[in-house]
Amino acid sequence: AHLCGDYLDDINDPGLNGEISMTRFPLNLTKAFMQDTGMSLNGYVNSKLAAEGKLSALSTNGYLQFDSVYLNAPLFGTDLHLSDKKVEINDNRISFRNFNIYAKGDTPFNLNGTVDLNRLTDPAFNLRMNAKDYEIVNAPRSRNSILYGRMFVDLRAFISGTLNSMKVYGD
């Protein structure tokens, strides 16, 4: 990981001007934060993010790219594999373009749209989610599992609005 930048010391409205880049940053370091959840995160993240401006109007640009990332959730009877496709961030807007999340089968959960973080306390969503014959659960019964067996999902949904005024449509 590489981090460089400046902190702009203004008592009324401090700011940042910096950049962080990571190449194959290991996500297994998150185990310390996830140990009581029954889940684990493995794989790597590549990224390049730049932030500049006053904290009241900070502008972020860059990308995140997952590299062999798996979220293991045996408690819920599933393991998720995230797409290696870049997730672009432009002017505080995270863009998902045919971003796929795989579970047990070969069919993806597909995500398209944006999450606007210009107001961090009330982000705005404009997302489409699609899945057909998505095998979200395929796990034997165990002592610690909440979900077991097999479960398939068909989903066509749209989320719009902010956290305080969200609309969800779909079937």
Side-chain angles (χ1 to χ4, degrees):
H2 174 77
L3 173 67
C4 67
D6 296 311
Y7 174 73
L8 308 172
D9 190 13
D10 180 341
I11 196 161
N12 295 320
D13 195 6
L16 293 174
N17 184 5
E19 185 176 288
I20 185 169
S21 60
M22 296 183 285
T23 303
R24 291 187 56 86
F25 183 81
L27 290 175
N28 63 0
L29 296 175
T30 63
K31 287 181 182 176
F33 304 103
M34 299 178 76
Q35 63 189 166
D36 293 333
T37 66
M39 296 186 286
S40 66
L41 202 53
N42 296 295
Y44 304 91
V45 170
N46 301 308
S47 71
K48 186 172 186 177
L49 295 170
E52 65 180 278
K54 301 286 187 176
L55 292 182
S56 61
L58 194 64
S59 176
T60 56
N61 293 285
Y63 70 88
L64 289 171
Q65 185 176 26
F66 302 104
D67 181 355
S68 307
V69 173
Y70 287 86
L71 172 66
N72 306 104
L75 188 66
F76 299 104
T78 195
D79 297 321
L80 301 177
H81 174 227
L82 303 182
S83 174
D84 292 347
K85 186 177 264 198
K86 280 186 180 178
V87 177
E88 299 286 338
I89 302 169
N90 294 306
D91 295 325
N92 303 330
R93 286 180 184 85
I94 302 170
S95 296
F96 297 95
R97 290 191 175 90
N98 287 317
F99 187 82
N100 292 326
I101 302 170
Y102 294 90
K104 297 291 185 179
D106 292 331
T107 59
F109 176 94
N110 182 262
L111 187 60
N112 281 289
T114 60
V115 178
D116 186 338
L117 298 175
N118 278 299
R119 290 180 46 205
L120 284 176
T121 58
D122 198 21
F125 299 86
N126 184 2
L127 295 171
R128 290 192 182 280
M129 299 168 289
N130 292 295
K132 182 149 178 69
D133 294 325
Y134 187 67
E135 188 175 13
I136 187 92
V137 177
N138 183 347
R141 184 176 187 171
S142 71
R143 202 176 105 210
N144 297 326
S145 61
I146 292 175
L147 293 173
Y148 59 89
R150 294 179 78 192
M151 182 182 351
F152 292 85
V153 174
D154 286 348
L155 174 72
R156 285 185 359 202
F158 178 70
I159 296 176
S160 68
T162 65
L163 280 180
N164 292 320
S165 179
M166 187 175 290
K167 295 178 180 84
V168 179
Y169 305 95
D171 59 88

